[in-house]
Amino acid sequence: MSKDARKIFSGLKGPSLWASLRELMHPREIECLQVEVTSCCPGRCTYCPHTTRADVWKSRHMQPETFAALFPVMKKASRVHLQGWGEPFLNPWFMDFVELARRAECAVSTTTCGLRMDEGLAESIVKSGVDIVAFSLVGTDEASNAARAGVPFSKVEEAVRMLQAARQKHNAVHLEIHLAYLMLASNVEAVRGLPKLMEEWGVHAVVVSTMDYIPSPEMKHEAFAPHEREKIEAARVVLEEVGSEVRAAGRDFYASLPAPEPAPCCRERAHRTLYADASGEISPCVYLNVPMDAEQPRRTVFGRVNESDPTEIWELPEYQAFRMAVETADPPAACVSCAKRFEAPCAE
């Protein structure tokens, strides 16, 4: 940990031995604390509001004092996922954040575009105790991945191989390399390249999702709406075939598509997770607090960690009521039209 981080994080002690033993019988209340360590990103992905709403985008790094303020709620969380609406490795404090989350005895993961990766960072990741690094893709070669403008497919491959080399060098069996794959409606066939890609890169698992947040009307055709059954069923055929091939090779494959009707639950599991943006604002999930200086009808914030203890925010009656409602057929107004309510697993 850097000298400055040690000063800021001093006095923050992890769970007691008794608390750690108790957790063996009683899992922590929060499954995942997702932290937006930065909203800055070098990419210009066509499907991201960072690109489509660049005129109102708020680019900022989370400061270490803000991350330190999250420590009480980290001790209630099983996992800390360090990524929100930006490229996490751009934050110069990233590895210090990992160390503090590990002090809280949390599993730690992240999702990256890969552009920041170099040998030094790869070594640091392997030694830090991070157990999952997911790399974002929308295609399985340079052409099909073109929607990730500014993030060449070749650079992602280089980053994965670099991390894989460091992992093998240190026999870091705790670290898994995943793919966070966004399947655009115009690019479904590219998914067929995943089994070969995963084999070549040594990837342990892939999660294939569809566009849950539509950043502009022009991108609507790239999503899968619940009523577009023919479009969805055609994609299902591809996902099921690819899923079978990936699993036959001993790797994990997860995918989902919209169901015709919403489920009485939240697929983001907002009743057991929470999201902290780069400024320290607490929301139920990443979709309810996009970093823009613009009107957001769905925006939902229950407090800011620099002003209130995050565990107290978590226990607020209005936040508890929200969490109860997301697990019913009558969810909060902000969640009624959310794509995650329609999402259903497929290719199993």
Side-chain angles (χ1 to χ4, degrees), residues 112-328:
T112 176
C113 71
L115 286 183
R116 173 65 182 80
M117 190 67 66
D118 57 29
E119 291 183 358
L121 177 57
E123 288 274 333
S124 295
I125 292 169
V126 167
K127 294 175 181 178
S128 70
V130 169
D131 68 344
I132 297 173
V133 176
F135 290 85
S136 300
L137 287 174
V138 295
T140 49
D141 56 25
E142 205 71 67
S144 60
N145 198 56
R148 290 184 63 77
V151 189
F153 182 83
S154 59
K155 288 294 185 181
V156 182
E157 179 175 12
E158 181 182 346
V160 173
R161 293 189 184 280
M162 200 173 294
L163 183 57
Q164 192 67 272
R167 177 178 173 273
Q168 293 169 357
K169 174 184 174 182
H170 294 282
N171 193 30
V173 294
H174 67 279
L175 174 62
E176 292 193 359
I177 297 176
H178 292 191
L179 295 180
Y181 191 97
L182 177 64
M183 183 177 69
L184 300 177
S186 65
N187 204 24
V188 172
E189 285 298 313
V191 174
R192 295 190 184 278
L194 281 172
K196 182 174 182 290
L197 191 67
M198 294 175 73
E199 178 68 29
E200 290 180 351
W201 291 3
V203 172
H204 298 85
V206 61
V207 178
V208 180
S209 60
T210 58
M211 196 161 61
D212 300 318
Y213 181 90
I214 301 175
S216 67
E218 293 76 21
M219 294 301 298
K220 190 175 181 179
H221 71 285
E222 292 288 17
F224 291 82
H227 68 274
E228 297 177 309
R229 301 319 302 171
E230 184 175 348
K231 181 177 173 181
I232 289 170
E233 293 310 314
R236 188 185 306 278
V237 170
V238 174
L239 290 173
E240 289 178 349
E241 291 176 358
V242 172
S244 295
E245 188 175 350
V246 169
R247 294 193 188 96
R251 305 179 191 278
D252 292 330
F253 183 91
Y254 306 95
S256 57
L257 285 167
E261 300 294 332
C265 65
C266 171
R267 297 298 183 186
E268 285 289 284
R269 296 186 60 77
H271 65 300
R272 294 289 305 280
T273 65
L274 77 162
Y275 172 68
D277 79 353
S279 72
E281 290 182 336
I282 297 292
S283 297
C285 78
V286 66
Y287 300 106
L288 296 183
N289 191 9
V290 183
M292 297 188 296
D293 282 319
E295 183 179 355
Q296 298 181 59
R298 295 177 60 202
R299 185 173 182 271
T300 305
V301 174
F302 287 104
R304 187 189 295 268
V305 298
N306 290 328
E307 300 170 358
S308 303
D309 184 313
T311 59
E312 293 179 1
I313 296 173
W314 174 255
E315 296 296 341
L316 286 172
E318 56 266 38
Y319 197 177
Q320 293 187 53
F322 185 101
R323 294 199 301 274
M324 290 179 63
V326 295
E327 288 296 288
T328 71

Side-chain angles (χ1 to χ4, degrees), residues 81-131:
H81 187 69
L82 298 173
Q83 183 261 344
W85 290 98
E87 167 49 45
F89 290 125
L90 288 179
N91 190 314
W93 297 88
F94 182 90
M95 299 313 303
D96 295 314
F97 292 173
V98 172
E99 189 166 340
L100 186 61
R102 295 291 294 148
R103 186 186 300 177
E105 297 184 3
C106 299
V108 183
S109 52
T110 191
T111 303
T112 176
C113 71
L115 286 183
R116 173 65 182 80
M117 190 67 66
D118 57 29
E119 291 183 358
L121 177 57
E123 288 274 333
S124 295
I125 292 169
V126 167
K127 294 175 181 178
S128 70
V130 169
D131 68 344

